[in-house]
Amino acid sequence: VAALRRGELITKSDNSSDDGLKVANSKRLELTATSPQELAGKGNFAGFREVLSISDRALNDISSALREVSATAQGSDAALLEEVLEANLKMRKEINVHIQEKLERADKGGPHVLGLQQYFHELQSGDYGGLSPRGSRKNSKSGGAAASGDKGGGGIGGMFGW
């Protein structure tokens, strides 16, 4: 037991298995670090699209580096570790694709939903769907608050006459 504690009984094959486990664990940690949520909290990014792009690039880099696990470890353990890491990688790539689809839908909208692009275009056009901010021409012509001299309060309450 004392020799085992000192590491004197570890054979070469046990040592390569340990090395394989260390490499597999480091790849697992790298995969965890590619999570968009994890990246966004640690970096200084211009936006979530940049975070997603970096996550995708990191996943591609890790994908090509997964072969290190089977090169370091020996036997069936290596193949199993690599298979588990590849499944993790595939799941993370699918999550990124799903997030990208949701971002595009938020921007462009869907069949019955306005996207942010349409929303901001509508705001620029000045068409508020029958509503207009206090003090606007539409309100002044109808004898609203602006016609009576009230300039309206700031913020959303002033916009809707509250």
Side-chain angles (χ1 to χ4, degrees):
V1 175
L4 183 60
R5 284 188 189 157
R6 289 190 303 267
E8 295 172 357
L9 297 179
I10 296 176
T11 63
K12 179 117 174 106
S13 64
D14 289 334
N15 199 12
S16 72
S17 292
D18 286 347
D19 290 344
L21 285 173
K22 287 178 185 175
V23 170
N25 190 44
S26 74
K27 296 301 171 197
R28 182 190 59 82
L29 292 174
E30 288 177 27
L31 282 169
T32 302
T34 63
S35 164
Q37 185 176 1
E38 186 85 20
L39 282 172
K42 290 185 178 178
N44 189 11
F45 300 102
F48 194 69
R49 291 182 195 286
E50 183 181 2
V51 170
L52 200 56
S53 172
I54 298 218
S55 175
D56 287 337
R57 278 187 267 150
L59 287 171
N60 288 333
D61 290 346
I62 293 170
S63 176
S64 61
L66 280 182
R67 305 294 171 249
E68 291 176 28
V69 174
S70 52
T72 307
Q74 302 296 322
S76 63
D77 288 348
L80 182 62
L81 289 171
E82 190 174 331
E83 186 179 324
V84 169
L85 289 170
E86 283 177 356
N88 189 333
L89 175 75
K90 182 179 177 186
M91 180 189 64
R92 289 181 184 279
K93 284 184 175 184
E94 288 173 2
I95 288 170
N96 282 4
V97 167
H98 183 70
I99 291 171
Q100 185 64 39
E101 289 170 353
K102 292 289 185 181
L103 282 172
E104 287 175 14
R105 184 166 179 180
D107 273 350
K108 297 176 183 166
H112 304 289
V113 178
L114 280 181
L116 290 175
Q117 290 176 350
Q118 290 108 342
Y119 173 78
F120 286 114
H121 179 72
E122 184 178 306
L123 283 178
Q124 282 182 332
S125 73
D127 179 18
Y128 299 104
L131 297 175
S132 61
R134 269 185 148 176
S136 70
R137 287 186 185 164
K138 290 179 184 177
N139 206 359
S140 297
K141 289 179 183 176
S142 65
S148 64
D150 182 9
K151 301 294 182 193
I156 197 163
M159 187 171 147
F160 294 109
W162 299 333

